[in-house]
PDB file of all heavy atoms in Angstrom:
ATOM      1  N   THR A  14    -160.274-136.741-123.250  1.00 98.00           N
ATOM      2  CA  THR A  14    -159.065-135.932-123.467  1.00 98.00           C
ATOM      3  C   THR A  14    -157.963-136.862-123.963  1.00 98.00           C
ATOM      4  O   THR A  14    -157.920-138.036-123.610  1.00 98.00           O
ATOM      5  CB  THR A  14    -158.585-135.189-122.204  1.00 98.00           C
ATOM      6  OG1 THR A  14    -158.068-136.130-121.264  1.00 98.00           O
ATOM      7  CG2 THR A  14    -159.693-134.364-121.577  1.00 98.00           C
ATOM      8  N   ALA A  74    -151.849-127.105-120.471  1.00 98.00           N
ATOM      9  CA  ALA A  74    -152.747-127.656-119.456  1.00 98.00           C
ATOM     10  C   ALA A  74    -153.843-126.651-119.101  1.00 98.00           C
ATOM     11  O   ALA A  74    -155.003-127.030-118.904  1.00 98.00           O
ATOM     12  CB  ALA A  74    -151.952-128.030-118.204  1.00 98.00           C
ATOM     13  N   LYS A  93    -160.373-139.445-119.215  1.00 98.00           N
ATOM     14  CA  LYS A  93    -159.275-138.491-119.241  1.00 98.00           C
ATOM     15  C   LYS A  93    -157.935-139.157-119.530  1.00 98.00           C
ATOM     16  O   LYS A  93    -157.123-139.383-118.650  1.00 98.00           O
ATOM     17  CB  LYS A  93    -159.271-137.691-117.934  1.00 98.00           C
ATOM     18  CG  LYS A  93    -159.012-136.263-118.298  1.00 98.00           C
ATOM     19  CD  LYS A  93    -159.174-135.234-117.275  1.00 98.00           C
ATOM     20  CE  LYS A  93    -158.564-133.957-117.802  1.00 98.00           C
ATOM     21  NZ  LYS A  93    -157.259-134.075-118.417  1.00 98.00           N
ATOM     22  N   ALA A  94    -157.750-139.442-120.824  1.00 97.00           N
ATOM     23  CA  ALA A  94    -156.543-140.168-121.256  1.00 97.00           C
ATOM     24  C   ALA A  94    -155.354-139.255-121.519  1.00 97.00           C
ATOM     25  O   ALA A  94    -154.266-139.749-121.828  1.00 97.00           O
ATOM     26  CB  ALA A  94    -156.865-140.981-122.510  1.00 97.00           C
ATOM     27  N   ALA A  95    -155.545-137.948-121.441  1.00 97.00           N
ATOM     28  CA  ALA A  95    -154.429-137.031-121.750  1.00 97.00           C
ATOM     29  C   ALA A  95    -153.336-137.104-120.692  1.00 97.00           C
ATOM     30  O   ALA A  95    -153.604-137.355-119.518  1.00 97.00           O
ATOM     31  CB  ALA A  95    -154.944-135.595-121.846  1.00 97.00           C
ATOM     32  N   ALA A  96    -152.110-136.862-121.140  1.00 96.00           N
ATOM     33  CA  ALA A  96    -150.966-136.720-120.229  1.00 96.00           C
ATOM     34  C   ALA A  96    -150.762-135.225-120.011  1.00 96.00           C
ATOM     35  O   ALA A  96    -150.178-134.534-120.850  1.00 96.00           O
ATOM     36  CB  ALA A  96    -149.726-137.353-120.834  1.00 96.00           C
ATOM     37  N   VAL A  97    -151.319-134.755-118.919  1.00 97.00           N
ATOM     38  CA  VAL A  97    -151.322-133.314-118.638  1.00 97.00           C
ATOM     39  C   VAL A  97    -150.073-132.964-117.831  1.00 97.00           C
ATOM     40  O   VAL A  97    -149.773-133.624-116.831  1.00 97.00           O
ATOM     41  CB  VAL A  97    -152.581-132.934-117.831  1.00 97.00           C
ATOM     42  CG1 VAL A  97    -152.676-131.421-117.670  1.00 97.00           C
ATOM     43  CG2 VAL A  97    -153.838-133.502-118.469  1.00 97.00           C
ATOM     44  N   ALA A  98    -149.368-131.933-118.257  1.00 98.00           N
ATOM     45  CA  ALA A  98    -148.158-131.529-117.535  1.00 98.00           C
ATOM     46  C   ALA A  98    -148.504-131.141-116.108  1.00 98.00           C
ATOM     47  O   ALA A  98    -149.461-130.399-115.875  1.00 98.00           O
ATOM     48  CB  ALA A  98    -147.503-130.341-118.239  1.00 98.00           C
ATOM     49  N   ASP A  99    -147.752-131.626-115.153  1.00 97.00           N
ATOM     50  CA  ASP A  99    -147.977-131.261-113.755  1.00 97.00           C
ATOM     51  C   ASP A  99    -147.417-129.867-113.449  1.00 97.00           C
ATOM     52  O   ASP A  99    -147.865-129.209-112.523  1.00 97.00           O
ATOM     53  CB  ASP A  99    -147.321-132.289-112.836  1.00 97.00           C
ATOM     54  CG  ASP A  99    -148.015-133.643-112.918  1.00 97.00           C
ATOM     55  OD1 ASP A  99    -149.246-133.658-113.100  1.00 97.00           O
ATOM     56  OD2 ASP A  99    -147.332-134.673-112.820  1.00 97.00           O
ATOM     57  N   ASN A 124    -149.351-126.893-112.344  1.00 98.00           N
ATOM     58  CA  ASN A 124    -150.584-126.761-113.118  1.00 98.00           C
ATOM     59  C   ASN A 124    -151.734-127.292-112.276  1.00 98.00           C
ATOM     60  O   ASN A 124    -151.521-128.129-111.400  1.00 98.00           O
ATOM     61  CB  ASN A 124    -150.492-127.585-114.401  1.00 98.00           C
ATOM     62  CG  ASN A 124    -149.880-126.822-115.549  1.00 98.00           C
ATOM     63  OD1 ASN A 124    -150.022-125.605-115.635  1.00 98.00           O
ATOM     64  ND2 ASN A 124    -149.211-127.528-116.439  1.00 98.00           N
ATOM     65  N   PRO A 125    -152.942-126.843-112.565  1.00 98.00           N
ATOM     66  CA  PRO A 125    -154.083-127.441-111.852  1.00 98.00           C
ATOM     67  C   PRO A 125    -154.225-128.908-112.257  1.00 98.00           C
ATOM     68  O   PRO A 125    -153.899-129.281-113.380  1.00 98.00           O
ATOM     69  CB  PRO A 125    -155.277-126.626-112.357  1.00 98.00           C
ATOM     70  CG  PRO A 125    -154.835-125.983-113.627  1.00 98.00           C
ATOM     71  CD  PRO A 125    -153.357-125.810-113.521  1.00 98.00           C
ATOM     72  N   ASP A 126    -154.684-129.734-111.335  1.00 98.00           N
ATOM     73  CA  ASP A 126    -155.006-131.122-111.657  1.00 98.00           C
ATOM     74  C   ASP A 126    -156.467-131.137-112.111  1.00 98.00           C
ATOM     75  O   ASP A 126    -157.386-131.018-111.309  1.00 98.00           O
ATOM     76  CB  ASP A 126    -154.795-132.012-110.435  1.00 98.00           C
ATOM     77  CG  ASP A 126    -154.937-133.489-110.783  1.00 98.00           C
ATOM     78  OD1 ASP A 126    -155.833-133.834-111.599  1.00 98.00           O
ATOM     79  OD2 ASP A 126    -154.180-134.299-110.243  1.00 98.00           O
ATOM     80  N   ILE A 127    -156.654-131.245-113.418  1.00 98.00           N
ATOM     81  CA  ILE A 127    -157.991-131.097-114.005  1.00 98.00           C
ATOM     82  C   ILE A 127    -158.926-132.199-113.508  1.00 98.00           C
ATOM     83  O   ILE A 127    -160.063-131.947-113.107  1.00 98.00           O
ATOM     84  CB  ILE A 127    -157.913-131.113-115.547  1.00 98.00           C
ATOM     85  CG1 ILE A 127    -156.938-130.033-116.038  1.00 98.00           C
ATOM     86  CG2 ILE A 127    -159.295-130.916-116.158  1.00 98.00           C
ATOM     87  CD1 ILE A 127    -156.500-130.217-117.491  1.00 98.00           C
ATOM     88  N   LEU A 128    -158.429-133.417-113.537  1.00 98.00           N
ATOM     89  CA  LEU A 128    -159.267-134.550-113.151  1.00 98.00           C
ATOM     90  C   LEU A 128    -159.695-134.454-111.681  1.00 98.00           C
ATOM     91  O   LEU A 128    -160.839-134.767-111.337  1.00 98.00           O
ATOM     92  CB  LEU A 128    -158.493-135.850-113.418  1.00 98.00           C
ATOM     93  CG  LEU A 128    -159.254-137.155-113.257  1.00 98.00           C
ATOM     94  CD1 LEU A 128    -160.528-137.184-114.092  1.00 98.00           C
ATOM     95  CD2 LEU A 128    -158.353-138.333-113.630  1.00 98.00           C
ATOM     96  N   LYS A 129    -158.792-134.006-110.841  1.00 98.00           N
ATOM     97  CA  LYS A 129    -159.115-133.860-109.417  1.00 98.00           C
ATOM     98  C   LYS A 129    -160.219-132.810-109.253  1.00 98.00           C
ATOM     99  O   LYS A 129    -161.152-132.982-108.461  1.00 98.00           O
ATOM    100  CB  LYS A 129    -157.851-133.446-108.663  1.00 98.00           C
ATOM    101  CG  LYS A 129    -157.986-133.441-107.173  1.00 98.00           C
ATOM    102  CD  LYS A 129    -156.612-133.619-106.534  1.00 98.00           C
ATOM    103  CE  LYS A 129    -156.693-133.487-105.031  1.00 98.00           C
ATOM    104  NZ  LYS A 129    -156.603-132.066-104.603  1.00 98.00           N
ATOM    105  N   VAL A 141    -163.419-141.330-115.504  1.00 98.00           N
ATOM    106  CA  VAL A 141    -162.431-142.390-115.744  1.00 98.00           C
ATOM    107  C   VAL A 141    -161.062-141.731-115.917  1.00 98.00           C
ATOM    108  O   VAL A 141    -160.885-140.869-116.784  1.00 98.00           O
ATOM    109  CB  VAL A 141    -162.769-143.203-117.011  1.00 98.00           C
ATOM    110  CG1 VAL A 141    -161.771-144.344-117.197  1.00 98.00           C
ATOM    111  CG2 VAL A 141    -164.201-143.722-116.971  1.00 98.00           C
ATOM    112  N   GLY A 142    -160.119-142.125-115.093  1.00 98.00           N
ATOM    113  CA  GLY A 142    -158.755-141.595-115.196  1.00 98.00           C
ATOM    114  C   GLY A 142    -157.785-142.672-115.626  1.00 98.00           C
ATOM    115  O   GLY A 142    -158.125-143.864-115.661  1.00 98.00           O
ATOM    116  N   PHE A 143    -156.599-142.250-115.944  1.00 96.00           N
ATOM    117  CA  PHE A 143    -155.523-143.176-116.306  1.00 96.00           C
ATOM    118  C   PHE A 143    -154.377-143.000-115.317  1.00 96.00           C
ATOM    119  O   PHE A 143    -154.171-141.910-114.783  1.00 96.00           O
ATOM    120  CB  PHE A 143    -155.013-142.888-117.732  1.00 96.00           C
ATOM    121  CG  PHE A 143    -155.907-143.458-118.791  1.00 96.00           C
ATOM    122  CD1 PHE A 143    -157.153-142.906-119.023  1.00 96.00           C
ATOM    123  CD2 PHE A 143    -155.505-144.546-119.533  1.00 96.00           C
ATOM    124  CE1 PHE A 143    -157.999-143.438-119.982  1.00 96.00           C
ATOM    125  CE2 PHE A 143    -156.347-145.090-120.497  1.00 96.00           C
ATOM    126  CZ  PHE A 143    -157.587-144.537-120.727  1.00 96.00           C
ATOM    127  N   ALA A 144    -153.672-144.067-115.097  1.00 94.00           N
ATOM    128  CA  ALA A 144    -152.473-143.993-114.270  1.00 94.00           C
ATOM    129  C   ALA A 144    -151.355-144.678-115.033  1.00 94.00           C
ATOM    130  O   ALA A 144    -151.417-145.880-115.287  1.00 94.00           O
ATOM    131  CB  ALA A 144    -152.709-144.674-112.927  1.00 94.00           C
ATOM    132  N   ALA A 145    -150.396-143.888-115.459  1.00 87.00           N
ATOM    133  CA  ALA A 145    -149.225-144.433-116.145  1.00 87.00           C
ATOM    134  C   ALA A 145    -148.091-144.434-115.138  1.00 87.00           C
ATOM    135  O   ALA A 145    -147.642-143.370-114.714  1.00 87.00           O
ATOM    136  CB  ALA A 145    -148.878-143.561-117.349  1.00 87.00           C
ATOM    137  N   GLU A 146    -147.668-145.600-114.747  1.00 87.00           N
ATOM    138  CA  GLU A 146    -146.634-145.689-113.712  1.00 87.00           C
ATOM    139  C   GLU A 146    -145.539-146.636-114.165  1.00 87.00           C
ATOM    140  O   GLU A 146    -145.721-147.434-115.083  1.00 87.00           O
ATOM    141  CB  GLU A 146    -147.237-146.232-112.402  1.00 87.00           C
ATOM    142  CG  GLU A 146    -148.393-145.417-111.843  1.00 87.00           C
ATOM    143  CD  GLU A 146    -147.981-144.061-111.287  1.00 87.00           C
ATOM    144  OE1 GLU A 146    -146.763-143.799-111.187  1.00 87.00           O
ATOM    145  OE2 GLU A 146    -148.873-143.260-110.970  1.00 87.00           O
ATOM    146  N   LYS A 157    -154.869-142.847-106.459  1.00 97.00           N
ATOM    147  CA  LYS A 157    -155.408-141.777-107.319  1.00 97.00           C
ATOM    148  C   LYS A 157    -156.910-141.871-107.448  1.00 97.00           C
ATOM    149  O   LYS A 157    -157.606-140.857-107.448  1.00 97.00           O
ATOM    150  CB  LYS A 157    -154.822-141.890-108.732  1.00 97.00           C
ATOM    151  CG  LYS A 157    -153.446-141.314-108.825  1.00 97.00           C
ATOM    152  CD  LYS A 157    -152.913-141.446-110.224  1.00 97.00           C
ATOM    153  CE  LYS A 157    -151.407-141.313-110.148  1.00 97.00           C
ATOM    154  NZ  LYS A 157    -150.788-141.424-111.466  1.00 97.00           N
ATOM    155  N   LYS A 160    -158.185-140.388-104.246  1.00 97.00           N
ATOM    156  CA  LYS A 160    -157.850-138.967-104.068  1.00 97.00           C
ATOM    157  C   LYS A 160    -158.604-138.083-105.057  1.00 97.00           C
ATOM    158  O   LYS A 160    -158.983-136.959-104.746  1.00 97.00           O
ATOM    159  CB  LYS A 160    -156.342-138.773-104.247  1.00 97.00           C
ATOM    160  CG  LYS A 160    -155.779-137.652-103.416  1.00 97.00           C
ATOM    161  CD  LYS A 160    -154.252-137.589-103.510  1.00 97.00           C
ATOM    162  CE  LYS A 160    -153.877-136.916-104.790  1.00 97.00           C
ATOM    163  NZ  LYS A 160    -152.571-136.993-105.294  1.00 97.00           N
ATOM    164  N   LYS A 161    -158.826-138.608-106.276  1.00 98.00           N
ATOM    165  CA  LYS A 161    -159.465-137.797-107.313  1.00 98.00           C
ATOM    166  C   LYS A 161    -160.958-138.091-107.457  1.00 98.00           C
ATOM    167  O   LYS A 161    -161.600-137.583-108.363  1.00 98.00           O
ATOM    168  CB  LYS A 161    -158.754-138.005-108.652  1.00 98.00           C
ATOM    169  CG  LYS A 161    -157.268-137.640-108.618  1.00 98.00           C
ATOM    170  CD  LYS A 161    -156.661-137.575-110.013  1.00 98.00           C
ATOM    171  CE  LYS A 161    -155.154-137.410-109.944  1.00 98.00           C
ATOM    172  NZ  LYS A 161    -154.590-136.924-111.209  1.00 98.00           N
ATOM    173  N   ILE A 166    -160.269-146.283-112.739  1.00 98.00           N
ATOM    174  CA  ILE A 166    -158.933-145.870-113.176  1.00 98.00           C
ATOM    175  C   ILE A 166    -158.309-147.003-113.987  1.00 98.00           C
ATOM    176  O   ILE A 166    -158.429-148.175-113.636  1.00 98.00           O
ATOM    177  CB  ILE A 166    -158.046-145.394-112.006  1.00 98.00           C
ATOM    178  CG1 ILE A 166    -156.799-144.680-112.541  1.00 98.00           C
ATOM    179  CG2 ILE A 166    -157.695-146.522-111.050  1.00 98.00           C
ATOM    180  CD1 ILE A 166    -156.182-143.693-111.574  1.00 98.00           C
TER     181      ILE A 166
HETATM  182  O1  C5P B   1    -151.831-138.061-110.818  1.00 69.10           O
HETATM  183  P1  C5P B   1    -151.591-138.290-112.267  1.00 69.10           P
HETATM  184  O2  C5P B   1    -151.125-137.080-113.012  1.00 69.10           O
HETATM  185  O3  C5P B   1    -150.767-139.488-112.607  1.00 69.10           O
HETATM  186  O4  C5P B   1    -153.060-138.638-112.775  1.00 69.10           O
HETATM  187  C1  C5P B   1    -153.320-139.174-113.990  1.00 69.10           C
HETATM  188  C2  C5P B   1    -154.720-138.822-114.408  1.00 69.10           C
HETATM  189  O5  C5P B   1    -155.044-137.479-114.042  1.00 69.10           O
HETATM  190  C3  C5P B   1    -154.896-138.905-115.906  1.00 69.10           C
HETATM  191  O6  C5P B   1    -156.179-139.392-116.158  1.00 69.10           O
HETATM  192  C4  C5P B   1    -154.698-137.466-116.341  1.00 69.10           C
HETATM  193  O7  C5P B   1    -155.381-137.166-117.532  1.00 69.10           O
HETATM  194  C5  C5P B   1    -155.245-136.669-115.175  1.00 69.10           C
HETATM  195  N1  C5P B   1    -154.554-135.393-114.933  1.00 69.10           N
HETATM  196  C6  C5P B   1    -155.227-134.199-115.086  1.00 69.10           C
HETATM  197  N2  C5P B   1    -154.592-132.996-114.829  1.00 69.10           N
HETATM  198  C7  C5P B   1    -153.310-132.972-114.425  1.00 69.10           C
HETATM  199  C8  C5P B   1    -152.603-134.176-114.261  1.00 69.10           C
HETATM  200  C9  C5P B   1    -153.255-135.381-114.518  1.00 69.10           C
HETATM  201  O8  C5P B   1    -156.390-134.211-115.448  1.00 69.10           O
HETATM  202  N3  C5P B   1    -152.718-131.799-114.204  1.00 69.10           N
END
Side-chain angles (χ1 to χ4, degrees):
T14 70
K93 223 170 167 314
V97 186
D99 292 326
N124 272 329
D126 188 321
I127 305 164
L128 188 54
K129 188 156 175 274
V141 183
F143 281 71
E146 302 290 352
K157 280 180 200 180
K160 211 174 79 195
K161 301 192 188 198
I166 193 155

